[in-house]
Every structure is written in C-alpha cells, then in structure tokens.
C-alpha cells in the first residue's frame, strides 16, 4: 500500500504542474514570431512567378532559334541550287555547239529553276527578320531575271549571242550569291565559258 500511495502522490504532483503551464496568447505568439525565420507566402509566389517567366522566356527563345535555323537551312538549300544554276548548268549549256542546242538544254532544266524561284518566294514571305527577307528577295529577283533572260534563247539563232546571254546571266547570279554571303565571292563563273 505504501507503494501505491507514493505513486498516487507523484501522479498528483505531476499532473497539476503540467496542467498549470500557461498557454501562449496570440499576442505572445506574434511577439515571439517576429524572431522566427519563416518566409511570408507572397515571397514564394513571387519566386514561383519569376521561375515560370524564366521557363516561358527560355522556351520562346529556343523556339525562335529553331525557327531561324530551319529558315537558314532552307535558304542555304536554295542558295546551293542557285550556285548549281550559275556554276554547273550555265557552263554545261555553254558547251552546246549551236544556239538551238543551248535553248533545248535550257528548256529541259528550266522547271528546276522555276522551283528554286518558288522556294525563294516562300522564304521571303517566311523570313524571320528583315535581313533574311532582303537576302531571299534579292536572290529570287536575280533568279527570276535570269530565267526570263534564258527563256529568250528559244528565239536566238546566233551561238555567240547565246553565249553572251549565258555569260551575263552567270555574272548576275554570282553577284547575287555574293550579296547573300554564299558562293565564292567572285563575280566570275566557276567554270569558264567557251568563246
């Protein structure tokens, strides 16, 4: 019985002490909270908004960069076709022995040049900046003028005149290639035309 009484006495003393502890009031909590290092919720919202804005900006810049690269690749392909026109097709046409054969060779290949012209027109419309638009337009206009000039070969009977048309066309194409920083930068055809 002595043990039981001692336990009850201890429990009686412990229980009132724990119950007697004062509960903190809201004013006391606010006073003690000023020393806490908790961050207000609005700061986390601002950080979240900045992070979302950074991700959106990065995605937009990457999309714009991919679009520019795709456009540049298409311009490079079209420029390669113009180079082929000036440096391969025209010298091959110049090897024909008569003006009629030059004209026949041109008729066979002219549809390919029309396709290049169409691609350059589309590139001009889809350009991502003014510099690209100017490059595509300059190249397209030169290809168009060159095609129109070579279309006159059908009525040319003199071989020397046909060769002169080919020479001047090749020179114009080389100049256009130089303006778009493609080609070798010279105004002369890559292959000499026969006299």
């Amino acid at each position: 019985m002595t043990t039981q009484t001692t336990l009850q006495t201890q429990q009686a003393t412990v229980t009132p002490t724990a119950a007697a502890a004062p509960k903190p009031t809201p004013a006391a909590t606010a006073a003690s909270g000023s020393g806490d290092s908790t961050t207000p919720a609005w700061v986390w919202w601002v950080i979240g908004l900045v992070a979302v804005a950074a991700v959106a900006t990065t995605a937009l810049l990457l999309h714009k960069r991919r679009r520019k690269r795709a456009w540049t690749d298409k311009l490079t392909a079209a420029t390669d076709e113009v180079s082929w026109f000036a440096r391969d097709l025209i010298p091959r046409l110049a090897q024909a022995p008569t003006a009629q054969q030059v004209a026949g060779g041109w008729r066979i290949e002219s549809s390919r040049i029309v396709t290049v012209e169409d691609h350059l027109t589309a590139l001009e419309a889809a350009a991502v900046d003014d510099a690209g638009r100017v490059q595509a337009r300059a190249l397209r206009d030169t290809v168009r003028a060159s095609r129109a000039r070579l279309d006159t070969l059908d009525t040319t009977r003199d071989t020397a005149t046909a060769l002169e048309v080919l020479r001047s066309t090749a020179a114009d194409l080389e100049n256009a290639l130089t303006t778009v920083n493609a080609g070798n930068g010279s105004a002369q055809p890559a292959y000499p035309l026969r006299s």
Side-chain angles (χ1 to χ4, degrees), residues 43-60:
V43 172
W44 292 112
W45 279 102
V46 169
I47 291 172
L49 289 174
V50 168
V52 167
V55 168
T57 301
T58 301
L60 182 66

Side-chain angles (χ1 to χ4, degrees), residues 31-109:
S32 69
S34 63
D36 284 353
S37 62
T38 59
T39 307
W42 66 269
V43 172
W44 292 112
W45 279 102
V46 169
I47 291 172
L49 289 174
V50 168
V52 167
V55 168
T57 301
T58 301
L60 182 66
L61 291 174
L62 287 174
H63 173 71
K64 190 173 183 178
R65 185 176 176 187
R66 278 192 297 270
R67 185 173 166 232
K68 172 76 172 168
R69 182 178 293 139
W71 186 90
T72 302
D73 290 346
K74 289 176 184 177
L75 180 65
T76 299
T79 302
D80 289 346
E81 284 293 298
V82 176
S83 295
W84 169 83
F85 183 19
R87 299 173 186 159
D88 186 29
L89 176 61
I90 290 177
R92 278 192 296 120
L93 291 174
Q95 298 303 312
T98 66
Q100 291 78 18
Q101 289 173 327
V102 170
W106 168 245
R107 278 192 304 276
I108 291 169
E109 298 290 354

Side-chain angles (χ1 to χ4, degrees), residues 16-189:
T17 317
K23 290 186 180 178
T25 63
T29 306
S32 69
S34 63
D36 284 353
S37 62
T38 59
T39 307
W42 66 269
V43 172
W44 292 112
W45 279 102
V46 169
I47 291 172
L49 289 174
V50 168
V52 167
V55 168
T57 301
T58 301
L60 182 66
L61 291 174
L62 287 174
H63 173 71
K64 190 173 183 178
R65 185 176 176 187
R66 278 192 297 270
R67 185 173 166 232
K68 172 76 172 168
R69 182 178 293 139
W71 186 90
T72 302
D73 290 346
K74 289 176 184 177
L75 180 65
T76 299
T79 302
D80 289 346
E81 284 293 298
V82 176
S83 295
W84 169 83
F85 183 19
R87 299 173 186 159
D88 186 29
L89 176 61
I90 290 177
R92 278 192 296 120
L93 291 174
Q95 298 303 312
T98 66
Q100 291 78 18
Q101 289 173 327
V102 170
W106 168 245
R107 278 192 304 276
I108 291 169
E109 298 290 354
S110 64
S111 63
R112 183 172 174 180
I113 303 308
V114 170
T115 302
V116 172
E117 186 181 331
D118 292 344
H119 286 186
L120 288 165
T121 300
L123 283 171
E124 179 190 5
V128 293
D129 57 20
D130 287 337
R133 188 172 293 107
V134 168
Q135 288 176 333
R137 183 182 311 127
L139 203 53
R140 190 263 333 263
D141 289 349
T142 303
V143 168
R144 181 177 289 161
S146 298
R147 183 177 56 81
R149 188 179 305 133
L150 292 182
D151 283 345
T152 66
L153 290 172
D154 277 336
T155 59
T156 304
R157 301 289 175 227
D158 181 39
T159 304
T161 304
L163 290 176
E164 184 53 39
V165 168
L166 292 175
R167 263 193 212 93
S168 64
T169 302
D172 288 349
L173 290 168
E174 286 295 336
N175 287 334
L177 288 167
T178 300
T179 63
V180 294
N181 297 322
N184 63 10
S186 71
Q188 299 299 317

